[in-house]
């Protein structure tokens, strides 16, 4: 720690308010959701849904990345060394690497949800319905753990901090 002008170190003390555990059965269910949606799409829409799902996943990852970075840049929050790509479950996509203000995280994820759904809906004009459905499924699947966290923290104050670990999301206050 860098000493301040008086020679004393600065310490941040966070108090854990709530811990949202992501259990192994929940991760297995999360992993099974795209397979179930893929089977339903193949039955009801098109056999090409397998190909469309393979294409839709990286497209939605990129769209979510662009939306997240845009929201962070527009709101003026620093993103260097604080956000990174994560491919580990249950947090795939562009995620905070350190403690993040709950209000900022909530803003980014809600913009991601609505703008991403609007972009997926725009594809209905140019792409087959099965591709549009694959985009929507991939979008919602990627956001599901983050939305689950937001729902579980609905009644908490927005001035706290969030920290994402491999198996949980923790909410702290200062």
């Amino acid at each position: 720690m860098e000493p301040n002008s008086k020679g004393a170190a600065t310490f941040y003390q966070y108090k854990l308010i709530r811990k949202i555990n992501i259990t192994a059965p929940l991760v297995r269910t999360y992993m099974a959701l795209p397979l179930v949606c893929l089977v339903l799409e193949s039955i009801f829409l098109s056999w090409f849904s397998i190909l469309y799902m393979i294409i839709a996943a990286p497209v939605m990852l990129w769209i979510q990345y662009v939306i997240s970075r845009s929201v962070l840049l527009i709101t003026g929050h620093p993103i260097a060394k604080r956000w990174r790509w994560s491919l580990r479950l249950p947090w795939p996509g562009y995620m905070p690497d350190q403690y993040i203000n709950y209000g900022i995280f909530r803003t980014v994820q809600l913009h991601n949800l609505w703008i991403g759904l609007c972009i997926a809906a725009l594809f209905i004009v140019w792409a087959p319905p099965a591709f549009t459905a694959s985009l929507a499924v991939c979008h919602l699947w990627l956001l599901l753990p983050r939305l689950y966290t937001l729902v579980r923290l609905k009644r908490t104050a927005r001035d706290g901090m969030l920290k994402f670990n491999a198996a949980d999301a923790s909410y702290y206050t200062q």
Side-chain angles (χ1 to χ4, degrees):
M1 301 232 168
E2 292 272 329
N4 61 16
S5 62
K6 296 179 184 172
T10 303
F11 293 98
Y12 295 102
Q13 295 181 358
Y14 295 115
K15 179 181 175 187
L16 179 64
I17 301 298
R18 189 157 196 192
K19 191 171 192 173
I20 301 166
N21 290 321
I22 309 295
T23 61
L26 200 57
V27 172
R28 283 193 294 272
T29 303
Y30 178 66
M31 295 274 298
L33 280 175
L35 298 174
V36 170
C37 291
L38 185 62
V39 168
L40 291 173
E41 276 186 44
S42 296
I43 292 171
F44 292 112
L45 293 176
S46 170
W47 286 101
F48 289 113
S49 293
I50 297 169
L51 175 65
Y52 293 148
M53 191 73 79
I54 292 170
I55 295 169
V59 168
M60 283 316 298
L61 276 170
W62 180 77
I63 289 171
Q64 288 181 2
Y65 168 75
V66 170
I67 294 169
S68 296
R69 268 192 78 92
S70 298
V71 170
L72 289 167
L73 288 171
I74 289 170
T75 57
H77 296 292
I79 52 177
K81 298 182 184 177
R82 292 191 180 204
W83 289 72
R84 67 172 170 79
W85 279 99
S86 171
L87 295 177
R88 65 183 175 159
L89 293 177
W91 313 111
Y94 197 56
M95 288 292 294
D97 191 27
Q98 303 172 357
Y99 290 95
I100 185 78
N101 181 287
Y102 171 64
I104 295 168
F105 181 77
R106 184 176 182 274
T107 301
V108 169
Q109 299 312 317
L110 290 178
H111 277 81
N112 244 339
L113 173 66
W114 296 113
I115 295 172
L117 283 175
C118 289
I119 290 171
L122 286 175
F123 273 86
I124 196 83
V125 177
W126 299 289
F131 182 66
T132 305
S134 294
L135 280 173
V137 165
C138 285
H139 178 61
L140 293 173
W141 182 76
L142 289 168
L143 287 179
L144 190 62
R146 297 173 231 178
L147 295 175
Y148 174 73
T149 302
L150 291 178
V151 167
R152 295 282 308 267
L153 295 173
K154 186 177 180 183
R155 300 195 195 291
T156 57
R158 294 201 177 126
D159 59 348
M161 303 293 277
L162 282 173
K163 175 71 173 155
F164 293 93
N165 300 310
D168 64 55
S170 302
Y171 177 77
Y172 297 90
T173 58
Q174 208 169 12

